[in-house]
Amino acid sequence: MPLPPVPFRSSVMQIEPGWIDYNGHLNMAYYNVMMDRAIDEMWLQLGMGPAYMKARHGSSFTAECHVRYVREIHLGDPVQVTVYLLASDEKRIHTFEELRHATEGWISATSENMTLHIDMNARKVAPFPLDIQARVRDVVSSHAGLPRPEGIGRKVAMPSK
């Protein structure tokens, strides 16, 4: 039975006071912390959390990440992360995350990532087990029916004149 075409939504998170920098807004490093926490929530739903690592000796490592900071977010702002699984193969998952103000809905930041499956015994890239591959493939299929978020595939470059 196909999954409904809806992105994953994390739990609502709060910005911690120590994450605010001298500019009075969330320091850039903590956008990654919140998006990583959201990915961990999604991995649990896919069967790839701490129990998976302990029992099956597999985990995931981020190989590449491109973060865009779109709008400032401040202490007291509730946030939620939307995750899209864009593509996958036997060893990789391509994701796109949007960090949003949880009540107003505007985007504060986005992150596009390539995640690798790791055999933790060998500490090398390895194929996902077939059951995990199937779950991920089902979500990728479901997300393929969604409108593509703005910002996918962006790169860092100076504008050409």
Side-chain angles (χ1 to χ4, degrees):
M1 183 170 166
L3 296 171
V6 294
F8 171 79
R9 293 200 195 290
S10 74
S11 58
V12 174
M13 295 177 261
Q14 297 296 317
I15 295 167
E16 298 180 19
W19 296 354
I20 301 300
D21 66 18
Y22 59 84
N23 294 311
H25 62 201
L26 184 64
N27 178 274
M28 64 183 281
Y30 296 101
Y31 287 85
N32 286 310
V33 168
M34 289 187 291
M35 288 192 247
D36 189 53
R37 287 178 178 176
I39 287 291
D40 283 346
E41 287 182 24
M42 183 172 199
W43 283 178
L44 282 172
Q45 288 190 3
L46 291 171
M48 299 189 324
Y52 169 74
M53 202 278 291
K54 184 176 180 180
R56 298 175 78 178
H57 310 287
S59 193
S60 64
F61 290 3
T62 301
E64 188 172 343
C65 178
H66 179 194
V67 178
R68 292 184 316 137
Y69 304 97
V70 178
R71 183 172 170 180
E72 291 180 300
I73 200 148
H74 301 91
L75 187 63
D77 289 336
V79 296
Q80 188 171 38
V81 178
T82 302
V83 182
Y84 299 83
L85 267 60
L86 303 176
S88 67
D89 65 16
E90 67 177 10
K91 298 177 184 178
R92 298 174 295 188
I93 302 174
H94 181 190
T95 61
F96 189 81
E97 295 104 50
E98 297 171 322
L99 182 93
R100 294 178 172 274
H101 190 285
T103 57
E104 297 174 13
W106 46 264
I107 295 173
S108 176
T110 67
S111 183
E112 187 168 4
N113 301 276
M114 186 64 65
T115 301
L116 305 174
H117 183 258
I118 304 296
D119 174 331
M120 293 300 287
N121 289 328
R123 297 198 71 87
K124 292 187 178 188
V125 178
F128 289 98
L130 294 178
D131 61 317
I132 300 296
Q133 281 184 44
R135 282 186 205 130
V136 170
R137 198 171 36 249
D138 288 347
V139 175
V140 168
S141 268
S142 166
H143 289 186
L146 297 168
R148 290 318 223 197
E150 192 277 321
I152 293 174
R154 296 271 308 254
K155 63 182 181 180
V156 177
M158 294 295 289
S160 57
K161 294 183 179 187

